[in-house]
Amino acid sequence: MKIIVGCRHGEAYKNLKDIYGGEGSGLTPKGKEQILEAVQQIKQLQEKHGLPVRIYLSCQRGQIVESGEIIRQQLNIDEVRLHEKYKPIRLGLFNGMSRQEQKEKFPDALVMHSKWEQGEIDITQSEKLVPGMQKALDYYNQTKQFISELEDNCIHVLMGTRSDLSCVLNVFKSNTPQVYMAYKYFPLDYAQLIMQVYDESKKETDVSQDVKTSEKTEQNTKDEAEHIDALDDYEDENELGE
């Protein structure tokens, strides 16, 4: 059995400026508190299953490094890790820009990307308008391979950005970009956890199933987007998928 826990970083100063990608920044005091709350949930998971914990950072941006270091210290882990296949999606010319700058320089691309976030168009239509952006299918396959290679008998904590963990969650749910409208945007909160248990005795048990949302309409508005509560009780789960 292996348990994959995705954790979004805590609130960072760059988030207050609505900047996407870039070099990152440190956590705000609120962001540090958010990560400490997430640590308590990871501790409970560790105590329940008695497995060692490993931490992977998607990159060395300030908010990722600081969030991972807080978890490392609180859980008395020797090191955090980087992996060549677990990294943020390349944002192309959007990288390091605030949403306002994107609106001024690439208004058409921003409109399309926002439509994808709201579930109105497929991701492949959005990515075409952002120069240099990595294709969603390449990013999905890269992340999927990383997850498949993580070893058994361990709790793997994947610290990342919202886009990193949206991809991880799409992998959990087998939402491949090869299927029209399958690859979704998940507006995960700061320090929110997502989790999946891979258990050979039960084949594969998804524990990210408590979806905090009203039923989606055909319009798929942003206010009705899915929110995932990652720490449902694994032993109470009986079904796979959504």
Side-chain angles (χ1 to χ4, degrees), residues 4 34-35 43 65-66 82 89-90 92 100 110-111 123 127-128 136 142 158 171 175 177 186 197 213 217 228 236 242:
I4 313 294
Q34 291 165 340
I35 293 297
K43 280 184 177 179
V65 172
E66 189 170 358
L82 296 169
I89 190 169
R90 296 193 302 273
Q100 182 59 37
L110 180 59
V111 167
I123 182 61
E127 67 190 14
K128 290 178 181 178
Q142 168 185 306
L158 312 184
V171 171
N175 292 343
F186 295 97
V197 176
T213 180
T217 65
I228 305 301
D236 287 340
E242 292 184 289

Side-chain angles (χ1 to χ4, degrees), residues 13-50:
Y13 287 104
K14 71 179 288 288
N15 299 126
L16 303 181
K17 298 179 181 180
D18 208 19
I19 294 175
Y20 291 74
E23 297 181 358
S25 71
L27 300 179
T28 66
K30 181 179 179 181
K32 295 176 183 178
E33 292 177 2
Q34 291 165 340
I35 293 297
L36 287 172
E37 291 176 4
V39 168
Q40 296 307 311
Q41 297 175 70
I42 297 171
K43 280 184 177 179
Q44 292 174 13
L45 190 65
Q46 184 182 29
E47 291 169 358
K48 177 176 180 179
H49 294 283

Side-chain angles (χ1 to χ4, degrees), residues 100-223:
Q100 182 59 37
E101 289 176 308
Q102 293 172 3
K103 183 177 180 180
E104 293 171 356
K105 297 180 180 180
F106 303 101
D108 293 340
L110 180 59
V111 167
M112 292 292 283
H113 195 70
S114 296
K115 285 185 176 181
W116 167 66
E117 290 181 343
Q118 295 170 31
E120 296 177 6
I121 62 172
D122 184 70
I123 182 61
T124 57
Q125 292 179 260
S126 171
E127 67 190 14
K128 290 178 181 178
L129 290 179
V130 183
M133 178 172 279
Q134 185 176 5
K135 292 186 179 301
L137 180 58
D138 292 342
Y139 186 57
Y140 175 90
N141 287 336
Q142 168 185 306
T143 304
K144 182 179 180 179
Q145 185 175 358
F146 163 69
I147 290 173
S148 71
E149 293 174 356
L150 292 173
E151 66 182 274
D152 292 335
N153 301 314
C154 194
I155 298 171
H156 301 280
V157 177
L158 312 184
M159 176 60 60
T161 66
R162 182 164 47 194
S163 59
D164 301 335
L165 298 181
S166 279
C167 186
V168 169
L169 193 47
N170 276 297
V171 171
F172 286 173
K173 294 176 174 293
S174 299
N175 292 343
T176 172
Q178 289 175 299
V179 178
Y180 181 72
M181 296 294 286
Y183 190 92
K184 304 180 187 304
Y185 168 79
F186 295 97
L188 300 170
D189 293 333
Y190 298 118
Q192 185 172 349
L193 303 181
I194 59 173
M195 184 173 72
Q196 174 126 325
V197 176
Y198 294 85
D199 189 339
E200 287 299 321
S201 66
K202 297 186 178 181
K203 297 197 175 173
E204 186 173 306
T205 303
D206 187 353
V207 293
S208 300
Q209 294 308 303
D210 185 8
V211 181
K212 295 181 177 179
T213 180
S214 57
E215 289 295 321
K216 282 199 169 188
T217 65
E218 292 182 358
Q219 287 73 32
N220 290 310
T221 61
K222 189 171 184 179
D223 290 339

